[in-house]
Amino acid sequence: MSDLCFDVSGSGPVLLVIPGGAGHPMGLDWMTAHLARRFTVVTYDPLGLAHGRLGQPVTDQRVEEWSDGARRVLEEVLPDGESAYVLGTSSGGIAALDLLARHPERLRHVVAHEPPCVAALPDGARHRERFREVYDTYRAAGPQAAGARLAAVLEERDGRGRPGRPTSLP
C-alpha cells in the first residue's frame, strides 16, 4: 500500500497541484473544480491531512521530501511517455521548482505561485532571519505562537504590531 495521499478529478492533460502553507489541499476545491473542466487534476496531499491525518503530529518538513512525493504521485498517475503540468503554491511552489530541477523529463510546464524563495531578494538575508525567528518561536513556544509570528512576518510587522520596513525590488 502506498503512503502517498492525493485526489484525482476531471479529465485531460495531467495537472499536479502541490499545496503550500500547512501542507494540505483543503481550501483549494474551488480552484481544482474549475481546473478539472480542462485537466486531470491531481491534488497532492503531502502530509495526508485531508486523508485522515489531521491533528496528528507532523515532523520537520523538507523540500526534497515533498518533491520526491510529488514525483512518486506522477509515476502513479502519469501515463508512460506523457508529461504533466505542475502548479505549486507558496511552499508548494518551492517543491515544484525542486521537482523541475531534479526531474524535468516528466514536466511540461511548471507554475510556482508565490514561492517564499527570499534568498533571491535584495534584502534576502533579513527575510531569512525573520523566517528563522518563526522557526525558533515554533521550537520554543509551539505552533500557535509560531503562526502568530509568521503572520507578523508576512504582514511586515515588527512583532509589536508596528509596520516594519517594506521589501522593495530594484
Side-chain angles (χ1 to χ4, degrees), residues 42-80:
V42 180
T43 308
Y44 178 38
D45 183 2
L47 302 178
L49 299 178
H51 292 89
R53 297 182 191 156
L54 189 62
Q56 294 181 12
V58 175
T59 61
D60 285 347
Q61 299 299 298
R62 302 278 180 245
V63 171
E64 301 82 15
E65 292 171 2
W66 280 35
S67 173
D68 184 59
R71 177 193 53 79
R72 293 181 347 192
V73 167
L74 287 176
E75 286 176 1
E76 287 200 23
V77 301
L78 196 58
D80 286 340

Short mmCIF file of all heavy atoms in Angstrom, two decimals, residues 42-80:
data_model
loop_
_atom_site.label_atom_id
_atom_site.label_comp_id
_atom_site.label_asym_id
_atom_site.label_seq_id
_atom_site.Cartn_x
_atom_site.Cartn_y
_atom_site.Cartn_z
N VAL A 42 -4.62 16.39 -10.29
CA VAL A 42 -4.11 15.51 -9.25
C VAL A 42 -3.68 16.41 -8.10
O VAL A 42 -2.71 17.16 -8.23
CB VAL A 42 -2.94 14.65 -9.76
CG1 VAL A 42 -2.43 13.74 -8.66
CG2 VAL A 42 -3.35 13.86 -11.00
N THR A 43 -4.41 16.37 -7.01
CA THR A 43 -4.13 17.23 -5.87
C THR A 43 -3.34 16.43 -4.85
O THR A 43 -3.86 15.50 -4.22
CB THR A 43 -5.44 17.75 -5.25
OG1 THR A 43 -6.24 18.33 -6.28
CG2 THR A 43 -5.15 18.81 -4.20
N TYR A 44 -2.08 16.77 -4.70
CA TYR A 44 -1.17 16.09 -3.79
C TYR A 44 -1.40 16.59 -2.37
O TYR A 44 -1.54 17.78 -2.13
CB TYR A 44 0.26 16.36 -4.25
CG TYR A 44 1.37 15.77 -3.41
CD1 TYR A 44 1.26 14.52 -2.83
CD2 TYR A 44 2.55 16.47 -3.24
CE1 TYR A 44 2.29 13.99 -2.08
CE2 TYR A 44 3.59 15.94 -2.50
CZ TYR A 44 3.45 14.70 -1.91
OH TYR A 44 4.48 14.18 -1.18
N ASP A 45 -1.44 15.66 -1.45
CA ASP A 45 -1.63 15.95 -0.02
C ASP A 45 -0.39 15.43 0.71
O ASP A 45 -0.39 14.32 1.23
CB ASP A 45 -2.90 15.26 0.47
CG ASP A 45 -3.25 15.55 1.92
OD1 ASP A 45 -2.52 16.33 2.57
OD2 ASP A 45 -4.25 14.98 2.39
N PRO A 46 0.71 16.20 0.70
CA PRO A 46 1.99 15.67 1.19
C PRO A 46 1.99 15.22 2.64
O PRO A 46 2.75 14.32 2.99
CB PRO A 46 2.96 16.83 0.98
CG PRO A 46 2.13 18.04 0.80
CD PRO A 46 0.80 17.59 0.27
N LEU A 47 1.14 15.78 3.47
CA LEU A 47 1.10 15.39 4.88
C LEU A 47 -0.08 14.47 5.20
O LEU A 47 -0.25 14.04 6.33
CB LEU A 47 1.04 16.63 5.77
CG LEU A 47 2.19 17.62 5.60
CD1 LEU A 47 2.00 18.83 6.50
CD2 LEU A 47 3.53 16.95 5.87
N GLY A 48 -0.93 14.20 4.20
CA GLY A 48 -2.09 13.34 4.41
C GLY A 48 -3.16 13.97 5.28
O GLY A 48 -4.02 13.27 5.82
N LEU A 49 -3.15 15.28 5.40
CA LEU A 49 -4.07 15.96 6.31
C LEU A 49 -5.53 15.86 5.87
O LEU A 49 -6.43 15.81 6.70
CB LEU A 49 -3.66 17.42 6.49
CG LEU A 49 -2.27 17.62 7.10
CD1 LEU A 49 -1.94 19.09 7.19
CD2 LEU A 49 -2.16 16.95 8.45
N ALA A 50 -5.76 15.82 4.57
CA ALA A 50 -7.12 15.69 4.07
C ALA A 50 -7.52 14.21 3.96
O ALA A 50 -8.61 13.89 3.53
CB ALA A 50 -7.26 16.36 2.71
N HIS A 51 -6.61 13.33 4.36
CA HIS A 51 -6.84 11.89 4.26
C HIS A 51 -6.70 11.19 5.61
O HIS A 51 -6.15 10.10 5.70
CB HIS A 51 -5.88 11.29 3.23
CG HIS A 51 -6.16 11.74 1.84
ND1 HIS A 51 -5.58 12.88 1.31
CD2 HIS A 51 -6.98 11.24 0.89
CE1 HIS A 51 -6.04 13.04 0.08
NE2 HIS A 51 -6.87 12.07 -0.20
N GLY A 52 -7.17 11.84 6.67
CA GLY A 52 -7.25 11.20 7.97
C GLY A 52 -6.11 11.48 8.93
O GLY A 52 -6.12 10.98 10.04
N ARG A 53 -5.13 12.28 8.53
CA ARG A 53 -4.00 12.53 9.43
C ARG A 53 -4.07 13.90 10.10
O ARG A 53 -3.13 14.30 10.78
CB ARG A 53 -2.68 12.40 8.66
CG ARG A 53 -2.46 11.00 8.13
CD ARG A 53 -1.12 10.89 7.42
NE ARG A 53 -1.05 9.62 6.70
CZ ARG A 53 -0.28 9.41 5.67
NH1 ARG A 53 0.52 10.35 5.23
NH2 ARG A 53 -0.28 8.24 5.06
N LEU A 54 -5.19 14.61 9.91
CA LEU A 54 -5.35 15.92 10.52
C LEU A 54 -5.33 15.77 12.04
O LEU A 54 -5.97 14.90 12.60
CB LEU A 54 -6.66 16.56 10.07
CG LEU A 54 -6.89 18.01 10.46
CD1 LEU A 54 -5.81 18.90 9.85
CD2 LEU A 54 -8.26 18.48 10.00
N GLY A 55 -4.54 16.59 12.70
CA GLY A 55 -4.43 16.54 14.14
C GLY A 55 -3.31 15.65 14.64
O GLY A 55 -2.99 15.66 15.82
N GLN A 56 -2.71 14.88 13.76
CA GLN A 56 -1.59 14.04 14.15
C GLN A 56 -0.29 14.85 14.07
O GLN A 56 -0.21 15.82 13.31
CB GLN A 56 -1.50 12.81 13.26
CG GLN A 56 -2.67 11.87 13.42
CD GLN A 56 -2.53 10.63 12.54
OE1 GLN A 56 -1.48 10.35 11.98
NE2 GLN A 56 -3.62 9.88 12.42
N PRO A 57 0.71 14.46 14.83
CA PRO A 57 1.98 15.21 14.79
C PRO A 57 2.60 15.19 13.39
O PRO A 57 2.48 14.22 12.65
CB PRO A 57 2.87 14.44 15.78
CG PRO A 57 1.95 13.62 16.60
CD PRO A 57 0.73 13.36 15.78
N VAL A 58 3.27 16.29 13.07
CA VAL A 58 3.95 16.43 11.79
C VAL A 58 5.43 16.63 12.07
O VAL A 58 5.80 17.48 12.88
CB VAL A 58 3.39 17.64 10.99
CG1 VAL A 58 4.18 17.87 9.72
CG2 VAL A 58 1.92 17.43 10.68
N THR A 59 6.26 15.85 11.42
CA THR A 59 7.70 16.00 11.59
C THR A 59 8.19 17.21 10.80
O THR A 59 7.44 17.78 9.99
CB THR A 59 8.45 14.74 11.10
OG1 THR A 59 8.16 14.57 9.70
CG2 THR A 59 8.02 13.51 11.87
N ASP A 60 9.45 17.58 11.01
CA ASP A 60 10.04 18.65 10.21
C ASP A 60 9.90 18.31 8.74
O ASP A 60 10.06 17.15 8.34
CB ASP A 60 11.53 18.83 10.54
CG ASP A 60 11.76 19.52 11.86
OD1 ASP A 60 10.80 20.09 12.42
OD2 ASP A 60 12.91 19.51 12.33
N GLN A 61 9.60 19.31 7.94
CA GLN A 61 9.37 19.11 6.52
C GLN A 61 10.59 19.53 5.71
O GLN A 61 11.24 20.52 6.04
CB GLN A 61 8.14 19.90 6.06
CG GLN A 61 6.87 19.47 6.76
CD GLN A 61 6.54 18.03 6.48
OE1 GLN A 61 6.31 17.66 5.34
NE2 GLN A 61 6.55 17.19 7.51
N ARG A 62 10.86 18.80 4.65
CA ARG A 62 11.98 19.09 3.77
C ARG A 62 11.47 19.20 2.34
O ARG A 62 10.64 18.39 1.89
CB ARG A 62 13.02 17.98 3.84
CG ARG A 62 13.57 17.73 5.23
CD ARG A 62 14.67 18.74 5.53
NE ARG A 62 15.21 18.50 6.87
CZ ARG A 62 15.10 19.37 7.85
NH1 ARG A 62 14.47 20.50 7.68
NH2 ARG A 62 15.62 19.12 9.03
N VAL A 63 11.98 20.17 1.62
CA VAL A 63 11.58 20.39 0.23
C VAL A 63 11.77 19.11 -0.58
O VAL A 63 10.90 18.72 -1.37
CB VAL A 63 12.39 21.55 -0.39
CG1 VAL A 63 12.16 21.64 -1.88
CG2 VAL A 63 12.04 22.87 0.28
N GLU A 64 12.90 18.46 -0.39
CA GLU A 64 13.21 17.26 -1.16
C GLU A 64 12.19 16.15 -0.93
O GLU A 64 11.88 15.38 -1.84
CB GLU A 64 14.61 16.74 -0.82
CG GLU A 64 15.72 17.72 -1.06
CD GLU A 64 15.91 18.74 0.08
OE1 GLU A 64 15.37 18.53 1.20
OE2 GLU A 64 16.57 19.76 -0.16
N GLU A 65 11.67 16.05 0.29
CA GLU A 65 10.66 15.03 0.58
C GLU A 65 9.35 15.32 -0.14
O GLU A 65 8.72 14.41 -0.69
CB GLU A 65 10.43 14.93 2.09
CG GLU A 65 11.63 14.39 2.84
CD GLU A 65 11.48 14.50 4.35
OE1 GLU A 65 10.42 14.98 4.84
OE2 GLU A 65 12.44 14.13 5.04
N TRP A 66 8.93 16.59 -0.14
CA TRP A 66 7.71 16.96 -0.86
C TRP A 66 7.90 16.73 -2.35
O TRP A 66 7.02 16.21 -3.03
CB TRP A 66 7.34 18.41 -0.59
CG TRP A 66 6.65 18.66 0.71
CD1 TRP A 66 6.85 18.01 1.89
CD2 TRP A 66 5.65 19.63 0.95
NE1 TRP A 66 6.03 18.53 2.86
CE2 TRP A 66 5.29 19.53 2.32
CE3 TRP A 66 5.04 20.59 0.16
CZ2 TRP A 66 4.33 20.34 2.90
CZ3 TRP A 66 4.09 21.41 0.74
CH2 TRP A 66 3.73 21.28 2.09
N SER A 67 9.06 17.14 -2.87
CA SER A 67 9.35 16.97 -4.29
C SER A 67 9.37 15.50 -4.66
O SER A 67 8.83 15.10 -5.69
CB SER A 67 10.70 17.63 -4.60
OG SER A 67 11.10 17.37 -5.90
N ASP A 68 10.01 14.67 -3.84
CA ASP A 68 10.06 13.24 -4.12
C ASP A 68 8.66 12.63 -4.08
O ASP A 68 8.33 11.80 -4.92
CB ASP A 68 10.98 12.53 -3.13
CG ASP A 68 11.13 11.06 -3.47
OD1 ASP A 68 11.58 10.76 -4.60
OD2 ASP A 68 10.76 10.21 -2.63
N GLY A 69 7.85 13.04 -3.12
CA GLY A 69 6.47 12.56 -3.07
C GLY A 69 5.70 12.96 -4.31
O GLY A 69 4.95 12.16 -4.88
N ALA A 70 5.89 14.19 -4.76
CA ALA A 70 5.22 14.66 -5.98
C ALA A 70 5.66 13.83 -7.19
O ALA A 70 4.84 13.45 -8.03
CB ALA A 70 5.52 16.14 -6.21
N ARG A 71 6.94 13.51 -7.25
CA ARG A 71 7.46 12.67 -8.35
C ARG A 71 6.80 11.29 -8.31
O ARG A 71 6.38 10.75 -9.34
CB ARG A 71 8.97 12.53 -8.24
CG ARG A 71 9.58 11.60 -9.31
CD ARG A 71 11.01 11.23 -9.01
NE ARG A 71 11.22 10.66 -7.68
CZ ARG A 71 10.94 9.40 -7.34
NH1 ARG A 71 10.43 8.57 -8.21
NH2 ARG A 71 11.17 8.98 -6.10
N ARG A 72 6.67 10.72 -7.12
CA ARG A 72 6.06 9.39 -6.99
C ARG A 72 4.57 9.43 -7.35
O ARG A 72 4.05 8.48 -7.94
CB ARG A 72 6.27 8.86 -5.58
CG ARG A 72 7.74 8.56 -5.30
CD ARG A 72 7.98 8.01 -3.92
NE ARG A 72 6.80 8.19 -3.09
CZ ARG A 72 6.73 8.03 -1.79
NH1 ARG A 72 7.74 7.66 -1.12
NH2 ARG A 72 5.62 8.23 -1.13
N VAL A 73 3.89 10.53 -7.01
CA VAL A 73 2.49 10.67 -7.42
C VAL A 73 2.40 10.67 -8.94
O VAL A 73 1.56 9.98 -9.53
CB VAL A 73 1.85 11.96 -6.83
CG1 VAL A 73 0.52 12.27 -7.50
CG2 VAL A 73 1.68 11.84 -5.33
N LEU A 74 3.28 11.44 -9.59
CA LEU A 74 3.27 11.47 -11.04
C LEU A 74 3.54 10.09 -11.64
O LEU A 74 2.94 9.71 -12.65
CB LEU A 74 4.29 12.48 -11.58
CG LEU A 74 3.91 13.95 -11.40
CD1 LEU A 74 5.02 14.86 -11.88
CD2 LEU A 74 2.59 14.27 -12.12
N GLU A 75 4.44 9.32 -11.02
CA GLU A 75 4.70 7.96 -11.50
C GLU A 75 3.45 7.11 -11.46
O GLU A 75 3.24 6.25 -12.31
CB GLU A 75 5.80 7.30 -10.67
CG GLU A 75 7.18 7.82 -10.96
CD GLU A 75 8.25 7.21 -10.05
OE1 GLU A 75 7.92 6.36 -9.17
OE2 GLU A 75 9.42 7.60 -10.19
N GLU A 76 2.60 7.34 -10.46
CA GLU A 76 1.38 6.55 -10.32
C GLU A 76 0.28 6.96 -11.31
O GLU A 76 -0.49 6.12 -11.74
CB GLU A 76 0.84 6.62 -8.89
CG GLU A 76 1.67 5.82 -7.92
CD GLU A 76 0.92 5.49 -6.64
OE1 GLU A 76 -0.33 5.48 -6.64
OE2 GLU A 76 1.60 5.24 -5.64
N VAL A 77 0.21 8.24 -11.63
CA VAL A 77 -0.94 8.71 -12.41
C VAL A 77 -0.60 9.08 -13.85
O VAL A 77 -1.51 9.14 -14.68
CB VAL A 77 -1.63 9.92 -11.74
CG1 VAL A 77 -2.11 9.57 -10.34
CG2 VAL A 77 -0.72 11.14 -11.70
N LEU A 78 0.65 9.33 -14.15
CA LEU A 78 1.02 9.83 -15.48
C LEU A 78 1.31 8.67 -16.42
O LEU A 78 2.18 7.84 -16.13
CB LEU A 78 2.25 10.74 -15.35
CG LEU A 78 2.59 11.64 -16.51
CD1 LEU A 78 1.44 12.58 -16.85
CD2 LEU A 78 3.84 12.45 -16.18
N PRO A 79 0.59 8.59 -17.53
CA PRO A 79 0.87 7.51 -18.49
C PRO A 79 2.30 7.60 -19.04
O PRO A 79 2.87 8.69 -19.14
CB PRO A 79 -0.15 7.76 -19.61
CG PRO A 79 -1.24 8.56 -18.97
CD PRO A 79 -0.55 9.41 -17.94
N ASP A 80 2.86 6.44 -19.37
CA ASP A 80 4.21 6.40 -19.93
C ASP A 80 4.34 7.32 -21.13
O ASP A 80 3.44 7.39 -21.96
CB ASP A 80 4.57 4.97 -20.35
CG ASP A 80 4.85 4.07 -19.17
OD1 ASP A 80 5.15 4.59 -18.08
OD2 ASP A 80 4.77 2.83 -19.35
#
